[in-house]
Amino acid sequence: MRIFFAAAVAALVASYFTWHYAEEMVGAVVLIEDFLSLRLHHNAGVAFGIRLPGGAQTLLIHLALVLVFILAIRSDRDLLQDTGYGLILGGALANIIDRAPDGLVTDYFSVGAFPIFNVPDVCITIGVLFIVFTGLRKGGLKE
């Protein structure tokens, strides 16, 4: 369980520092021409900028966070799986904290035509991949 909390704290800390840098940016920072740049964007929606009506968005975000925490507690003690749950929890908490003052999440990674995203989104995605990989490795998706 320690790795779970360590991963969550690491995701929160990384998110804080990148968020702070992004808020201070003036204009786009091109890293790879026409492909990768840092560009400040404030997102009122959830994944891919999808906006849900009224309080449904906040309710679903918080329910998902509680579900992830319950699944993490009930999971096997597997290093990769615990890390995955920690990354998801830390990334989700970072986005909730970012959203709290004004209802907006600060996004800043721009990759090609893909929607702009942030470090917490990366943490959540990697966490999900770790959990899926663990399930596949343990034969959890057999036919």
Side-chain angles (χ1 to χ4, degrees):
M1 200 64 167
R2 284 187 297 194
I3 191 70
F4 167 75
F5 288 111
V9 168
L12 280 165
V13 169
S15 300
Y16 171 77
F17 284 109
T18 55
W19 167 81
H20 181 70
Y21 175 77
E23 287 293 339
E24 299 297 320
M25 281 191 318
V26 178
V29 177
V30 177
L31 302 173
I32 301 174
E33 191 172 329
D34 295 329
F35 180 70
L36 177 63
S37 64
L38 300 175
R39 185 167 34 125
L40 183 62
H41 175 75
H42 292 102
N43 179 5
V46 289
F48 308 112
I50 297 170
R51 295 177 87 176
L52 302 174
Q57 181 167 295
T58 302
L59 178 64
L60 288 175
I61 289 169
H62 288 90
L63 285 174
L65 187 63
V66 169
L67 177 64
V68 166
F69 190 74
I70 290 169
L71 290 171
I73 290 172
R74 296 176 137 190
S75 74
D76 299 334
R77 297 286 57 102
D78 180 277
L79 179 66
L80 195 59
Q81 190 176 39
D82 277 356
T83 304
Y85 281 121
L87 288 172
I88 293 169
L89 181 71
L93 283 173
N95 274 339
I96 288 171
I97 291 167
D98 186 14
R99 185 183 301 278
D102 57 7
L104 302 172
V105 170
T106 305
D107 289 331
Y108 36 84
F109 287 122
S110 179
V111 179
F114 197 77
I116 300 174
F117 57 97
N118 59 24
V119 166
D121 298 338
V122 172
C123 291
I124 293 167
T125 302
I126 291 171
V128 168
L129 291 173
F130 281 4
I131 292 166
V132 168
F133 178 75
T134 301
L136 290 171
R137 187 182 67 202
K138 291 181 178 181
L141 300 177
K142 290 182 180 177
E143 292 183 25

